[in-house]
Amino acid sequence: MFYERFLPPSDGSLVDEVAGDVTATSVFIVVWYLTYRRLFIAVETEKTLAWIMTLASAVVGLALCVGHVREAIRTDFAYDAVMGNDRDSRRIAVFFVTYFAWDMVLGQLHFPSQFGLLSGYFHHGFFGFGLLAALYWEYTKAFVVCLPAELSTLPLGLGHCHKALRNDILFGVVFFAVRIVYIGVVVWKLLVVRPFSWVFLAGLVPWVMHWYWFSAWFKKYAPGRRKKPKTA
């Protein structure tokens, strides 16, 4: 990874590895949050501050998952491509665990109204503990190949931070493509390579939730479903 040159020498232990990744992630998140807030936000609200953090996870997740996703697709999601772990997938997992912790801290300090029970505490707790389990049992690759789902976060996050960029139709189309279709394929492949394992179930639960959220979007934006303005 590009930030390795800024880290102290490692003795090769897992504890030292994780400590370095947590440090690098923390520095990145603080710099991202303060810089984006100062330079790119015209009208500051708790909602825009919350979405600055969400954009950070989406940008990093998408940037770092490319190699693993390419290998998974090339091998038709073979066992070695979606199970087990390697140094890069562990880094990504640690990044997200650290991000969840920082998001909860900054959420309480700067945007408490936006840090809800489902999208905040439950989401971060579910994925945070899931990633810790993946690190312990060495299944971090399965998480990384799911990160293209973050592609739908980009139009949504940019739209909340910059009103001129908001496009709810684009968001819905991308959401369906990556969080329903792509993640559905990944969940199926996980079922094939590791039938009814906790890794498969950890992918299935968010996929079901994605259907729920997409149905809400569909009811609001699908052709013919928008409410017509009342005439006098």
Side-chain angles (χ1 to χ4, degrees):
M1 292 290 181
F2 70 92
Y3 57 72
E4 285 181 315
R5 71 189 69 176
F6 302 108
L7 299 179
S10 171
D11 63 8
S13 70
L14 182 60
V15 172
D16 185 67
E17 172 185 306
V18 170
D21 292 343
V22 169
T23 301
T25 298
S26 297
V27 171
F28 169 80
I29 288 174
V30 172
V31 171
W32 169 281
Y33 180 74
L34 294 177
T35 302
Y36 202 110
R37 180 181 182 181
R38 183 176 181 83
L39 298 181
F40 301 111
I41 299 300
V43 180
E44 186 175 293
T45 65
E46 288 193 11
K47 179 175 287 188
T48 58
L49 295 180
W51 280 100
I52 289 174
M53 289 294 291
T54 305
L55 279 173
S57 67
V59 169
V60 172
L62 288 170
L64 299 186
C65 77
V66 173
H68 285 87
V69 173
R70 184 190 299 120
E71 178 65 13
I73 293 174
R74 186 186 69 82
T75 61
D76 193 26
F77 295 86
Y79 185 93
D80 289 341
V82 297
M83 291 295 181
N85 70 1
D86 55 21
R87 183 65 183 96
D88 287 343
S89 65
R90 290 196 302 271
R91 278 196 181 106
I92 297 169
V94 172
F95 168 86
F96 275 90
V97 173
T98 309
Y99 160 79
F100 292 146
W102 272 104
D103 198 35
M104 286 191 286
V105 171
L106 293 175
Q108 291 303 308
L109 294 175
H110 295 173
F111 43 90
S113 67
Q114 301 300 306
F115 208 84
L117 180 62
L118 179 61
S119 61
Y121 294 106
F122 176 80
H123 177 276
H124 288 11
F126 177 85
F127 283 101
F129 283 111
L131 284 172
L132 289 175
L135 284 164
Y136 182 80
W137 279 295
E138 300 185 349
Y139 286 128
T140 48
K141 285 184 180 180
F143 170 75
V144 174
V145 297
C146 291
L147 284 176
E150 292 299 321
L151 188 62
S152 64
T153 304
L154 291 183
L156 189 64
L158 289 171
H160 279 92
C161 290
H162 313 281
K163 289 186 177 180
L165 299 178
R166 180 159 182 168
N167 189 324
D168 293 334
I169 302 301
L170 175 63
F171 161 72
V173 171
V174 176
F175 187 99
F176 181 80
V178 295
R179 292 186 181 255
I180 302 297
V181 178
Y182 175 77
I183 295 299
V185 171
V186 174
V187 169
W188 170 252
K189 295 296 184 179
L190 290 175
L191 176 63
V192 172
V193 300
R194 195 67 179 247
F196 299 104
S197 64
W198 73 267
V199 180
F200 160 72
L201 294 176
L204 180 64
V205 172
W207 187 65
V208 173
M209 289 300 299
H210 294 164
W211 272 108
Y212 171 77
W213 288 324
F214 180 75
S215 67
W217 175 90
F218 188 83
K219 291 176 182 177
K220 185 175 182 180
Y221 292 103
R225 288 182 175 266
R226 291 192 182 186
K227 292 182 179 180
K228 296 181 179 179
K230 294 181 179 180
T231 56

